[in-house]
Amino acid sequence: MPVKGVQRVINNYRLKVGEISGARTEAGVYAVLSQGGAMAQTMVPTDTNNLFNSQYEPQITKEGGKTVGHLGYTAAYAPWVHEAPGTLSGQPRANGNGDYWDPSGEPKFLTKGFDQIKGRVMTILKASYRAK
């Protein structure tokens, strides 16, 4: 007796795989980047708010069959502030705009922002795959 519906199962499988590897994966990566970026924003040192306001929206690309996301800051000095040791923390700024790293700024703010959500990444991704 021949098996019926095999072609339909194959077609539905291909559709589902395409959906998962496309829009749902991109949505999941975007959600992770958004939440990590939001946590990082709580630790960005503020003097003029230029650095804080320079965070760009998550960028999602396909590279070699993988979905890759990027998030960062457009301010030219962002890498130096991120990598600064924070040794001036609490000392007054020369320009009179409060103290260095105040009120809640921290070195490695972007890395620390993503470290804070590390335990929730799988939950965030699973939610994006469950969404319809």
Side-chain angles (χ1 to χ4, degrees):
M1 173 184 331
V3 177
K4 295 182 181 183
V6 172
Q7 191 58 47
R8 186 181 56 176
V9 170
I10 291 170
N11 290 342
N12 286 340
Y13 173 78
R14 287 183 181 147
L15 285 171
K16 212 37 121 172
V17 167
E19 183 182 307
I20 289 170
S21 66
R24 288 190 184 186
T25 297
E26 288 178 18
V29 171
Y30 188 93
V32 169
L33 291 173
S34 294
Q35 290 189 31
M39 293 306 296
Q41 287 290 76
T42 66
M43 294 177 263
V44 172
T46 54
D47 179 8
T48 64
N49 279 337
N50 183 58
L51 180 58
F52 181 89
N53 291 328
S54 77
Q55 186 185 73
Y56 57 83
E57 190 171 329
Q59 306 295 306
I60 310 295
T61 58
K62 295 277 188 178
E63 296 177 10
K66 296 179 182 179
T67 301
V68 179
H70 301 275
L71 178 84
Y73 295 83
T74 60
Y77 58 91
W80 288 277
V81 175
H82 185 267
E83 296 301 318
T87 53
L88 296 176
S89 182
Q91 296 179 27
R93 289 189 178 109
N95 64 7
N97 288 348
D99 296 336
Y100 286 103
W101 298 98
D102 281 348
S104 59
E106 295 186 31
K108 306 251 187 232
F109 50 90
L110 191 54
T111 303
K112 289 178 181 179
F114 281 92
D115 285 346
Q116 286 189 4
I117 69 157
K118 193 181 291 185
R120 295 192 318 249
V121 168
M122 289 308 294
T123 304
I124 296 166
L125 291 173
K126 284 178 185 177
S128 70
Y129 287 114
R130 265 188 254 119
K132 183 102 181 174

